[in-house]
mmCIF file with all atom_site columns, all heavy atoms in Angstrom:
data_model
loop_
_atom_site.group_PDB
_atom_site.id
_atom_site.type_symbol
_atom_site.label_atom_id
_atom_site.label_alt_id
_atom_site.label_comp_id
_atom_site.label_asym_id
_atom_site.label_entity_id
_atom_site.label_seq_id
_atom_site.pdbx_PDB_ins_code
_atom_site.Cartn_x
_atom_site.Cartn_y
_atom_site.Cartn_z
_atom_site.occupancy
_atom_site.B_iso_or_equiv
_atom_site.pdbx_formal_charge
_atom_site.auth_seq_id
_atom_site.auth_comp_id
_atom_site.auth_asym_id
_atom_site.auth_atom_id
_atom_site.pdbx_PDB_model_num
ATOM 1   N N   . PHE A 1 63 ? 68.562 -11.099 -19.096 1.00 90.00 ? 288 PHE A N   1
ATOM 2   C CA  . PHE A 1 63 ? 67.511 -12.011 -19.530 1.00 90.00 ? 288 PHE A CA  1
ATOM 3   C C   . PHE A 1 63 ? 67.801 -12.556 -20.919 1.00 90.00 ? 288 PHE A C   1
ATOM 4   O O   . PHE A 1 63 ? 67.499 -13.715 -21.218 1.00 90.00 ? 288 PHE A O   1
ATOM 5   C CB  . PHE A 1 63 ? 66.143 -11.330 -19.497 1.00 90.00 ? 288 PHE A CB  1
ATOM 6   C CG  . PHE A 1 63 ? 65.683 -10.982 -18.117 1.00 90.00 ? 288 PHE A CG  1
ATOM 7   C CD1 . PHE A 1 63 ? 64.922 -9.856  -17.886 1.00 90.00 ? 288 PHE A CD1 1
ATOM 8   C CD2 . PHE A 1 63 ? 66.010 -11.783 -17.031 1.00 90.00 ? 288 PHE A CD2 1
ATOM 9   C CE1 . PHE A 1 63 ? 64.489 -9.534  -16.613 1.00 90.00 ? 288 PHE A CE1 1
ATOM 10  C CE2 . PHE A 1 63 ? 65.589 -11.469 -15.753 1.00 90.00 ? 288 PHE A CE2 1
ATOM 11  C CZ  . PHE A 1 63 ? 64.823 -10.344 -15.544 1.00 90.00 ? 288 PHE A CZ  1
ATOM 12  N N   . GLY A 1 64 ? 68.381 -11.741 -21.797 1.00 92.00 ? 289 GLY A N   1
ATOM 13  C CA  . GLY A 1 64 ? 68.750 -12.205 -23.137 1.00 92.00 ? 289 GLY A CA  1
ATOM 14  C C   . GLY A 1 64 ? 69.789 -13.308 -23.088 1.00 92.00 ? 289 GLY A C   1
ATOM 15  O O   . GLY A 1 64 ? 69.703 -14.279 -23.841 1.00 92.00 ? 289 GLY A O   1
ATOM 16  N N   . VAL A 1 65 ? 70.757 -13.182 -22.211 1.00 93.00 ? 290 VAL A N   1
ATOM 17  C CA  . VAL A 1 65 ? 71.776 -14.230 -22.071 1.00 93.00 ? 290 VAL A CA  1
ATOM 18  C C   . VAL A 1 65 ? 71.140 -15.512 -21.566 1.00 93.00 ? 290 VAL A C   1
ATOM 19  O O   . VAL A 1 65 ? 71.442 -16.608 -22.060 1.00 93.00 ? 290 VAL A O   1
ATOM 20  C CB  . VAL A 1 65 ? 72.905 -13.755 -21.120 1.00 93.00 ? 290 VAL A CB  1
ATOM 21  C CG1 . VAL A 1 65 ? 73.807 -14.896 -20.727 1.00 93.00 ? 290 VAL A CG1 1
ATOM 22  C CG2 . VAL A 1 65 ? 73.712 -12.656 -21.774 1.00 93.00 ? 290 VAL A CG2 1
ATOM 23  N N   . ILE A 1 66 ? 70.239 -15.408 -20.615 1.00 94.00 ? 291 ILE A N   1
ATOM 24  C CA  . ILE A 1 66 ? 69.564 -16.595 -20.094 1.00 94.00 ? 291 ILE A CA  1
ATOM 25  C C   . ILE A 1 66 ? 68.731 -17.268 -21.179 1.00 94.00 ? 291 ILE A C   1
ATOM 26  O O   . ILE A 1 66 ? 68.798 -18.494 -21.369 1.00 94.00 ? 291 ILE A O   1
ATOM 27  C CB  . ILE A 1 66 ? 68.693 -16.222 -18.880 1.00 94.00 ? 291 ILE A CB  1
ATOM 28  C CG1 . ILE A 1 66 ? 69.579 -15.810 -17.709 1.00 94.00 ? 291 ILE A CG1 1
ATOM 29  C CG2 . ILE A 1 66 ? 67.785 -17.377 -18.476 1.00 94.00 ? 291 ILE A CG2 1
ATOM 30  C CD1 . ILE A 1 66 ? 68.818 -15.216 -16.549 1.00 94.00 ? 291 ILE A CD1 1
ATOM 31  N N   . ILE A 1 67 ? 67.963 -16.506 -21.917 1.00 94.00 ? 292 ILE A N   1
ATOM 32  C CA  . ILE A 1 67 ? 67.126 -17.066 -22.973 1.00 94.00 ? 292 ILE A CA  1
ATOM 33  C C   . ILE A 1 67 ? 67.985 -17.678 -24.067 1.00 94.00 ? 292 ILE A C   1
ATOM 34  O O   . ILE A 1 67 ? 67.684 -18.758 -24.586 1.00 94.00 ? 292 ILE A O   1
ATOM 35  C CB  . ILE A 1 67 ? 66.177 -15.987 -23.527 1.00 94.00 ? 292 ILE A CB  1
ATOM 36  C CG1 . ILE A 1 67 ? 65.135 -15.629 -22.470 1.00 94.00 ? 292 ILE A CG1 1
ATOM 37  C CG2 . ILE A 1 67 ? 65.503 -16.440 -24.812 1.00 94.00 ? 292 ILE A CG2 1
ATOM 38  C CD1 . ILE A 1 67 ? 64.297 -14.421 -22.807 1.00 94.00 ? 292 ILE A CD1 1
ATOM 39  N N   . ASP A 1 68 ? 69.085 -17.010 -24.432 1.00 94.00 ? 293 ASP A N   1
ATOM 40  C CA  . ASP A 1 68 ? 69.982 -17.534 -25.451 1.00 94.00 ? 293 ASP A CA  1
ATOM 41  C C   . ASP A 1 68 ? 70.628 -18.838 -24.998 1.00 94.00 ? 293 ASP A C   1
ATOM 42  O O   . ASP A 1 68 ? 70.797 -19.765 -25.795 1.00 94.00 ? 293 ASP A O   1
ATOM 43  C CB  . ASP A 1 68 ? 71.058 -16.492 -25.768 1.00 94.00 ? 293 ASP A CB  1
ATOM 44  C CG  . ASP A 1 68 ? 71.879 -16.878 -26.979 1.00 94.00 ? 293 ASP A CG  1
ATOM 45  O OD1 . ASP A 1 68 ? 71.283 -17.344 -27.973 1.00 94.00 ? 293 ASP A OD1 1
ATOM 46  O OD2 . ASP A 1 68 ? 73.120 -16.727 -26.921 1.00 94.00 ? 293 ASP A OD2 1
ATOM 47  N N   . THR A 1 69 ? 70.968 -18.938 -23.734 1.00 95.00 ? 294 THR A N   1
ATOM 48  C CA  . THR A 1 69 ? 71.553 -20.176 -23.206 1.00 95.00 ? 294 THR A CA  1
ATOM 49  C C   . THR A 1 69 ? 70.552 -21.322 -23.291 1.00 95.00 ? 294 THR A C   1
ATOM 50  O O   . THR A 1 69 ? 70.905 -22.434 -23.700 1.00 95.00 ? 294 THR A O   1
ATOM 51  C CB  . THR A 1 69 ? 71.997 -19.979 -21.747 1.00 95.00 ? 294 THR A CB  1
ATOM 52  O OG1 . THR A 1 69 ? 72.932 -18.898 -21.695 1.00 95.00 ? 294 THR A OG1 1
ATOM 53  C CG2 . THR A 1 69 ? 72.643 -21.227 -21.190 1.00 95.00 ? 294 THR A CG2 1
ATOM 54  N N   . PHE A 1 70 ? 69.305 -21.070 -22.931 1.00 95.00 ? 295 PHE A N   1
ATOM 55  C CA  . PHE A 1 70 ? 68.296 -22.117 -23.037 1.00 95.00 ? 295 PHE A CA  1
ATOM 56  C C   . PHE A 1 70 ? 68.047 -22.507 -24.488 1.00 95.00 ? 295 PHE A C   1
ATOM 57  O O   . PHE A 1 70 ? 67.816 -23.681 -24.790 1.00 95.00 ? 295 PHE A O   1
ATOM 58  C CB  . PHE A 1 70 ? 66.986 -21.691 -22.367 1.00 95.00 ? 295 PHE A CB  1
ATOM 59  C CG  . PHE A 1 70 ? 67.006 -21.829 -20.882 1.00 95.00 ? 295 PHE A CG  1
ATOM 60  C CD1 . PHE A 1 70 ? 66.830 -20.739 -20.068 1.00 95.00 ? 295 PHE A CD1 1
ATOM 61  C CD2 . PHE A 1 70 ? 67.205 -23.069 -20.292 1.00 95.00 ? 295 PHE A CD2 1
ATOM 62  C CE1 . PHE A 1 70 ? 66.843 -20.864 -18.682 1.00 95.00 ? 295 PHE A CE1 1
ATOM 63  C CE2 . PHE A 1 70 ? 67.220 -23.213 -18.917 1.00 95.00 ? 295 PHE A CE2 1
ATOM 64  C CZ  . PHE A 1 70 ? 67.040 -22.110 -18.118 1.00 95.00 ? 295 PHE A CZ  1
ATOM 65  N N   . ALA A 1 71 ? 68.103 -21.550 -25.408 1.00 95.00 ? 296 ALA A N   1
ATOM 66  C CA  . ALA A 1 71 ? 67.940 -21.871 -26.826 1.00 95.00 ? 296 ALA A CA  1
ATOM 67  C C   . ALA A 1 71 ? 69.092 -22.746 -27.313 1.00 95.00 ? 296 ALA A C   1
ATOM 68  O O   . ALA A 1 71 ? 68.874 -23.697 -28.090 1.00 95.00 ? 296 ALA A O   1
ATOM 69  C CB  . ALA A 1 71 ? 67.859 -20.589 -27.651 1.00 95.00 ? 296 ALA A CB  1
ATOM 70  N N   . ASP A 1 72 ? 70.325 -22.464 -26.876 1.00 96.00 ? 297 ASP A N   1
ATOM 71  C CA  . ASP A 1 72 ? 71.467 -23.303 -27.248 1.00 96.00 ? 297 ASP A CA  1
ATOM 72  C C   . ASP A 1 72 ? 71.326 -24.708 -26.689 1.00 96.00 ? 297 ASP A C   1
ATOM 73  O O   . ASP A 1 72 ? 71.629 -25.695 -27.379 1.00 96.00 ? 297 ASP A O   1
ATOM 74  C CB  . ASP A 1 72 ? 72.773 -22.681 -26.762 1.00 96.00 ? 297 ASP A CB  1
ATOM 75  C CG  . ASP A 1 72 ? 73.162 -21.435 -27.535 1.00 96.00 ? 297 ASP A CG  1
ATOM 76  O OD1 . ASP A 1 72 ? 72.617 -21.230 -28.637 1.00 96.00 ? 297 ASP A OD1 1
ATOM 77  O OD2 . ASP A 1 72 ? 74.004 -20.660 -27.024 1.00 96.00 ? 297 ASP A OD2 1
ATOM 78  N N   . LEU A 1 73 ? 70.876 -24.825 -25.444 1.00 96.00 ? 298 LEU A N   1
ATOM 79  C CA  . LEU A 1 73 ? 70.669 -26.144 -24.849 1.00 96.00 ? 298 LEU A CA  1
ATOM 80  C C   . LEU A 1 73 ? 69.599 -26.937 -25.601 1.00 96.00 ? 298 LEU A C   1
ATOM 81  O O   . LEU A 1 73 ? 69.749 -28.138 -25.833 1.00 96.00 ? 298 LEU A O   1
ATOM 82  C CB  . LEU A 1 73 ? 70.283 -26.007 -23.370 1.00 96.00 ? 298 LEU A CB  1
ATOM 83  C CG  . LEU A 1 73 ? 71.379 -25.523 -22.431 1.00 96.00 ? 298 LEU A CG  1
ATOM 84  C CD1 . LEU A 1 73 ? 70.809 -25.279 -21.040 1.00 96.00 ? 298 LEU A CD1 1
ATOM 85  C CD2 . LEU A 1 73 ? 72.510 -26.525 -22.365 1.00 96.00 ? 298 LEU A CD2 1
ATOM 86  N N   . ARG A 1 74 ? 68.530 -26.259 -25.991 1.00 96.00 ? 299 ARG A N   1
ATOM 87  C CA  . ARG A 1 74 ? 67.476 -26.916 -26.758 1.00 96.00 ? 299 ARG A CA  1
ATOM 88  C C   . ARG A 1 74 ? 67.992 -27.372 -28.116 1.00 96.00 ? 299 ARG A C   1
ATOM 89  O O   . ARG A 1 74 ? 67.684 -28.474 -28.575 1.00 96.00 ? 299 ARG A O   1
ATOM 90  C CB  . ARG A 1 74 ? 66.279 -25.978 -26.938 1.00 96.00 ? 299 ARG A CB  1
ATOM 91  C CG  . ARG A 1 74 ? 65.099 -26.655 -27.584 1.00 96.00 ? 299 ARG A CG  1
ATOM 92  C CD  . ARG A 1 74 ? 63.873 -25.745 -27.771 1.00 96.00 ? 299 ARG A CD  1
ATOM 93  N NE  . ARG A 1 74 ? 63.768 -24.632 -26.874 1.00 96.00 ? 299 ARG A NE  1
ATOM 94  C CZ  . ARG A 1 74 ? 63.905 -23.357 -27.232 1.00 96.00 ? 299 ARG A CZ  1
ATOM 95  N NH1 . ARG A 1 74 ? 64.177 -23.041 -28.474 1.00 96.00 ? 299 ARG A NH1 1
ATOM 96  N NH2 . ARG A 1 74 ? 63.761 -22.388 -26.344 1.00 96.00 ? 299 ARG A NH2 1
ATOM 97  N N   . SER A 1 75 ? 68.807 -26.548 -28.759 1.00 96.00 ? 300 SER A N   1
ATOM 98  C CA  . SER A 1 75 ? 69.381 -26.899 -30.053 1.00 96.00 ? 300 SER A CA  1
ATOM 99  C C   . SER A 1 75 ? 70.306 -28.113 -29.937 1.00 96.00 ? 300 SER A C   1
ATOM 100 O O   . SER A 1 75 ? 70.264 -29.017 -30.780 1.00 96.00 ? 300 SER A O   1
ATOM 101 C CB  . SER A 1 75 ? 70.143 -25.701 -30.613 1.00 96.00 ? 300 SER A CB  1
ATOM 102 O OG  . SER A 1 75 ? 70.813 -26.046 -31.785 1.00 96.00 ? 300 SER A OG  1
ATOM 103 N N   . GLU A 1 76 ? 71.131 -28.147 -28.904 1.00 96.00 ? 301 GLU A N   1
ATOM 104 C CA  . GLU A 1 76 ? 72.007 -29.298 -28.692 1.00 96.00 ? 301 GLU A CA  1
ATOM 105 C C   . GLU A 1 76 ? 71.200 -30.561 -28.439 1.00 96.00 ? 301 GLU A C   1
ATOM 106 O O   . GLU A 1 76 ? 71.547 -31.639 -28.950 1.00 96.00 ? 301 GLU A O   1
ATOM 107 C CB  . GLU A 1 76 ? 72.945 -29.042 -27.519 1.00 96.00 ? 301 GLU A CB  1
ATOM 108 C CG  . GLU A 1 76 ? 74.037 -28.047 -27.798 1.00 96.00 ? 301 GLU A CG  1
ATOM 109 C CD  . GLU A 1 76 ? 74.923 -27.804 -26.584 1.00 96.00 ? 301 GLU A CD  1
ATOM 110 O OE1 . GLU A 1 76 ? 74.929 -28.657 -25.668 1.00 96.00 ? 301 GLU A OE1 1
ATOM 111 O OE2 . GLU A 1 76 ? 75.583 -26.763 -26.555 1.00 96.00 ? 301 GLU A OE2 1
ATOM 112 N N   . LYS A 1 77 ? 70.133 -30.463 -27.684 1.00 96.00 ? 302 LYS A N   1
ATOM 113 C CA  . LYS A 1 77 ? 69.291 -31.623 -27.404 1.00 96.00 ? 302 LYS A CA  1
ATOM 114 C C   . LYS A 1 77 ? 68.650 -32.140 -28.696 1.00 96.00 ? 302 LYS A C   1
ATOM 115 O O   . LYS A 1 77 ? 68.590 -33.354 -28.918 1.00 96.00 ? 302 LYS A O   1
ATOM 116 C CB  . LYS A 1 77 ? 68.213 -31.251 -26.387 1.00 96.00 ? 302 LYS A CB  1
ATOM 117 C CG  . LYS A 1 77 ? 67.296 -32.393 -26.030 1.00 96.00 ? 302 LYS A CG  1
ATOM 118 C CD  . LYS A 1 77 ? 66.227 -31.959 -25.058 1.00 96.00 ? 302 LYS A CD  1
ATOM 119 C CE  . LYS A 1 77 ? 65.258 -33.105 -24.818 1.00 96.00 ? 302 LYS A CE  1
ATOM 120 N NZ  . LYS A 1 77 ? 64.081 -32.681 -24.093 1.00 96.00 ? 302 LYS A NZ  1
ATOM 121 N N   . GLN A 1 78 ? 68.188 -31.235 -29.545 1.00 96.00 ? 303 GLN A N   1
ATOM 122 C CA  . GLN A 1 78 ? 67.584 -31.648 -30.808 1.00 96.00 ? 303 GLN A CA  1
ATOM 123 C C   . GLN A 1 78 ? 68.605 -32.322 -31.717 1.00 96.00 ? 303 GLN A C   1
ATOM 124 O O   . GLN A 1 78 ? 68.286 -33.299 -32.396 1.00 96.00 ? 303 GLN A O   1
ATOM 125 C CB  . GLN A 1 78 ? 66.948 -30.455 -31.509 1.00 96.00 ? 303 GLN A CB  1
ATOM 126 C CG  . GLN A 1 78 ? 65.686 -29.960 -30.845 1.00 96.00 ? 303 GLN A CG  1
ATOM 127 C CD  . GLN A 1 78 ? 65.146 -28.689 -31.478 1.00 96.00 ? 303 GLN A CD  1
ATOM 128 O OE1 . GLN A 1 78 ? 65.834 -28.017 -32.239 1.00 96.00 ? 303 GLN A OE1 1
ATOM 129 N NE2 . GLN A 1 78 ? 63.907 -28.340 -31.139 1.00 96.00 ? 303 GLN A NE2 1
ATOM 130 N N   . LYS A 1 79 ? 69.844 -31.822 -31.724 1.00 95.00 ? 304 LYS A N   1
ATOM 131 C CA  . LYS A 1 79 ? 70.894 -32.450 -32.523 1.00 95.00 ? 304 LYS A CA  1
ATOM 132 C C   . LYS A 1 79 ? 71.186 -33.856 -32.030 1.00 95.00 ? 304 LYS A C   1
ATOM 133 O O   . LYS A 1 79 ? 71.355 -34.787 -32.822 1.00 95.00 ? 304 LYS A O   1
ATOM 134 C CB  . LYS A 1 79 ? 72.165 -31.609 -32.497 1.00 95.00 ? 304 LYS A CB  1
ATOM 135 C CG  . LYS A 1 79 ? 72.097 -30.346 -33.298 1.00 95.00 ? 304 LYS A CG  1
ATOM 136 C CD  . LYS A 1 79 ? 73.385 -29.550 -33.177 1.00 95.00 ? 304 LYS A CD  1
ATOM 137 C CE  . LYS A 1 79 ? 73.273 -28.221 -33.876 1.00 95.00 ? 304 LYS A CE  1
ATOM 138 N NZ  . LYS A 1 79 ? 74.490 -27.391 -33.687 1.00 95.00 ? 304 LYS A NZ  1
ATOM 139 N N   . LYS A 1 80 ? 71.266 -34.033 -30.707 1.00 93.00 ? 305 LYS A N   1
ATOM 140 C CA  . LYS A 1 80 ? 71.518 -35.358 -30.146 1.00 93.00 ? 305 LYS A CA  1
ATOM 141 C C   . LYS A 1 80 ? 70.382 -36.322 -30.475 1.00 93.00 ? 305 LYS A C   1
ATOM 142 O O   . LYS A 1 80 ? 70.628 -37.483 -30.815 1.00 93.00 ? 305 LYS A O   1
ATOM 143 C CB  . LYS A 1 80 ? 71.704 -35.265 -28.634 1.00 93.00 ? 305 LYS A CB  1
ATOM 144 C CG  . LYS A 1 80 ? 73.006 -34.619 -28.226 1.00 93.00 ? 305 LYS A CG  1
ATOM 145 C CD  . LYS A 1 80 ? 73.121 -34.508 -26.716 1.00 93.00 ? 305 LYS A CD  1
ATOM 146 C CE  . LYS A 1 80 ? 74.372 -33.776 -26.319 1.00 93.00 ? 305 LYS A CE  1
ATOM 147 N NZ  . LYS A 1 80 ? 74.481 -33.588 -24.863 1.00 93.00 ? 305 LYS A NZ  1
ATOM 148 N N   . GLU A 1 81 ? 69.152 -35.866 -30.374 1.00 93.00 ? 306 GLU A N   1
ATOM 149 C CA  . GLU A 1 81 ? 68.010 -36.718 -30.711 1.00 93.00 ? 306 GLU A CA  1
ATOM 150 C C   . GLU A 1 81 ? 68.020 -37.092 -32.185 1.00 93.00 ? 306 GLU A C   1
ATOM 151 O O   . GLU A 1 81 ? 67.696 -38.228 -32.545 1.00 93.00 ? 306 GLU A O   1
ATOM 152 C CB  . GLU A 1 81 ? 66.702 -36.014 -30.354 1.00 93.00 ? 306 GLU A CB  1
ATOM 153 C CG  . GLU A 1 81 ? 66.446 -35.913 -28.871 1.00 93.00 ? 306 GLU A CG  1
ATOM 154 C CD  . GLU A 1 81 ? 65.207 -35.119 -28.525 1.00 93.00 ? 306 GLU A CD  1
ATOM 155 O OE1 . GLU A 1 81 ? 64.588 -34.533 -29.454 1.00 93.00 ? 306 GLU A OE1 1
ATOM 156 O OE2 . GLU A 1 81 ? 64.859 -35.064 -27.336 1.00 93.00 ? 306 GLU A OE2 1
ATOM 157 N N   . GLU A 1 82 ? 68.410 -36.159 -33.049 1.00 92.00 ? 307 GLU A N   1
ATOM 158 C CA  . GLU A 1 82 ? 68.483 -36.443 -34.481 1.00 92.00 ? 307 GLU A CA  1
ATOM 159 C C   . GLU A 1 82 ? 69.557 -37.485 -34.783 1.00 92.00 ? 307 GLU A C   1
ATOM 160 O O   . GLU A 1 82 ? 69.359 -38.381 -35.598 1.00 92.00 ? 307 GLU A O   1
ATOM 161 C CB  . GLU A 1 82 ? 68.762 -35.149 -35.256 1.00 92.00 ? 307 GLU A CB  1
ATOM 162 C CG  . GLU A 1 82 ? 68.719 -35.299 -36.748 1.00 92.00 ? 307 GLU A CG  1
ATOM 163 C CD  . GLU A 1 82 ? 67.339 -35.644 -37.271 1.00 92.00 ? 307 GLU A CD  1
ATOM 164 O OE1 . GLU A 1 82 ? 66.332 -35.278 -36.640 1.00 92.00 ? 307 GLU A OE1 1
ATOM 165 O OE2 . GLU A 1 82 ? 67.273 -36.303 -38.323 1.00 92.00 ? 307 GLU A OE2 1
ATOM 166 N N   . VAL A 1 83 ? 70.698 -37.397 -34.102 1.00 90.00 ? 308 VAL A N   1
ATOM 167 C CA  . VAL A 1 83 ? 71.766 -38.385 -34.290 1.00 90.00 ? 308 VAL A CA  1
ATOM 168 C C   . VAL A 1 83 ? 71.297 -39.755 -33.824 1.00 90.00 ? 308 VAL A C   1
ATOM 169 O O   . VAL A 1 83 ? 71.562 -40.770 -34.473 1.00 90.00 ? 308 VAL A O   1
ATOM 170 C CB  . VAL A 1 83 ? 73.047 -37.943 -33.542 1.00 90.00 ? 308 VAL A CB  1
ATOM 171 C CG1 . VAL A 1 83 ? 74.045 -39.077 -33.424 1.00 90.00 ? 308 VAL A CG1 1
ATOM 172 C CG2 . VAL A 1 83 ? 73.683 -36.762 -34.250 1.00 90.00 ? 308 VAL A CG2 1
ATOM 173 N N   . LEU A 1 84 ? 70.574 -39.811 -32.703 1.00 85.00 ? 309 LEU A N   1
ATOM 174 C CA  . LEU A 1 84 ? 70.070 -41.092 -32.215 1.00 85.00 ? 309 LEU A CA  1
ATOM 175 C C   . LEU A 1 84 ? 69.045 -41.712 -33.156 1.00 85.00 ? 309 LEU A C   1
ATOM 176 O O   . LEU A 1 84 ? 68.956 -42.934 -33.270 1.00 85.00 ? 309 LEU A O   1
ATOM 177 C CB  . LEU A 1 84 ? 69.454 -40.927 -30.823 1.00 85.00 ? 309 LEU A CB  1
ATOM 178 C CG  . LEU A 1 84 ? 70.439 -40.746 -29.674 1.00 85.00 ? 309 LEU A CG  1
ATOM 179 C CD1 . LEU A 1 84 ? 69.698 -40.473 -28.372 1.00 85.00 ? 309 LEU A CD1 1
ATOM 180 C CD2 . LEU A 1 84 ? 71.321 -41.971 -29.516 1.00 85.00 ? 309 LEU A CD2 1
ATOM 181 N N   . LYS A 1 85 ? 68.281 -40.885 -33.855 1.00 86.00 ? 310 LYS A N   1
ATOM 182 C CA  . LYS A 1 85 ? 67.273 -41.398 -34.786 1.00 86.00 ? 310 LYS A CA  1
ATOM 183 C C   . LYS A 1 85 ? 67.869 -41.838 -36.119 1.00 86.00 ? 310 LYS A C   1
ATOM 184 O O   . LYS A 1 85 ? 67.313 -42.698 -36.785 1.00 86.00 ? 310 LYS A O   1
ATOM 185 C CB  . LYS A 1 85 ? 66.205 -40.336 -35.053 1.00 86.00 ? 310 LYS A CB  1
ATOM 186 C CG  . LYS A 1 85 ? 65.303 -40.082 -33.880 1.00 86.00 ? 310 LYS A CG  1
ATOM 187 C CD  . LYS A 1 85 ? 64.290 -39.003 -34.214 1.00 86.00 ? 310 LYS A CD  1
ATOM 188 C CE  . LYS A 1 85 ? 63.434 -38.685 -33.006 1.00 86.00 ? 310 LYS A CE  1
ATOM 189 N NZ  . LYS A 1 85 ? 62.507 -37.583 -33.277 1.00 86.00 ? 310 LYS A NZ  1
ATOM 190 N N   . THR A 1 86 ? 68.990 -41.239 -36.530 1.00 86.00 ? 311 THR A N   1
ATOM 191 C CA  . THR A 1 86 ? 69.527 -41.512 -37.869 1.00 86.00 ? 311 THR A CA  1
ATOM 192 C C   . THR A 1 86 ? 70.832 -42.284 -37.878 1.00 86.00 ? 311 THR A C   1
ATOM 193 O O   . THR A 1 86 ? 71.378 -42.539 -38.945 1.00 86.00 ? 311 THR A O   1
ATOM 194 C CB  . THR A 1 86 ? 69.736 -40.188 -38.628 1.00 86.00 ? 311 THR A CB  1
ATOM 195 O OG1 . THR A 1 86 ? 70.678 -39.394 -37.912 1.00 86.00 ? 311 THR A OG1 1
ATOM 196 C CG2 . THR A 1 86 ? 68.429 -39.441 -38.811 1.00 86.00 ? 311 THR A CG2 1
ATOM 197 N N   . THR A 1 87 ? 71.352 -42.677 -36.715 1.00 87.00 ? 312 THR A N   1
ATOM 198 C CA  . THR A 1 87 ? 72.631 -43.376 -36.645 1.00 87.00 ? 312 THR A CA  1
ATOM 199 C C   . THR A 1 87 ? 72.484 -44.615 -35.769 1.00 87.00 ? 312 THR A C   1
ATOM 200 O O   . THR A 1 87 ? 71.844 -44.571 -34.722 1.00 87.00 ? 312 THR A O   1
ATOM 201 C CB  . THR A 1 87 ? 73.719 -42.460 -36.053 1.00 87.00 ? 312 THR A CB  1
ATOM 202 O OG1 . THR A 1 87 ? 73.768 -41.262 -36.806 1.00 87.00 ? 312 THR A OG1 1
ATOM 203 C CG2 . THR A 1 87 ? 75.078 -43.118 -36.082 1.00 87.00 ? 312 THR A CG2 1
#
Side-chain angles (χ1 to χ4, degrees):
F288 294 147
V290 168
I291 292 171
I292 291 170
D293 190 43
T294 302
F295 281 119
D297 289 343
L298 290 173
R299 187 180 335 111
S300 174
E301 288 179 20
K302 180 182 175 191
Q303 288 174 346
K304 287 178 185 176
K305 289 178 184 177
E306 289 175 354
E307 186 66 28
V308 166
L309 286 175
K310 289 179 183 176
T311 61
T312 306

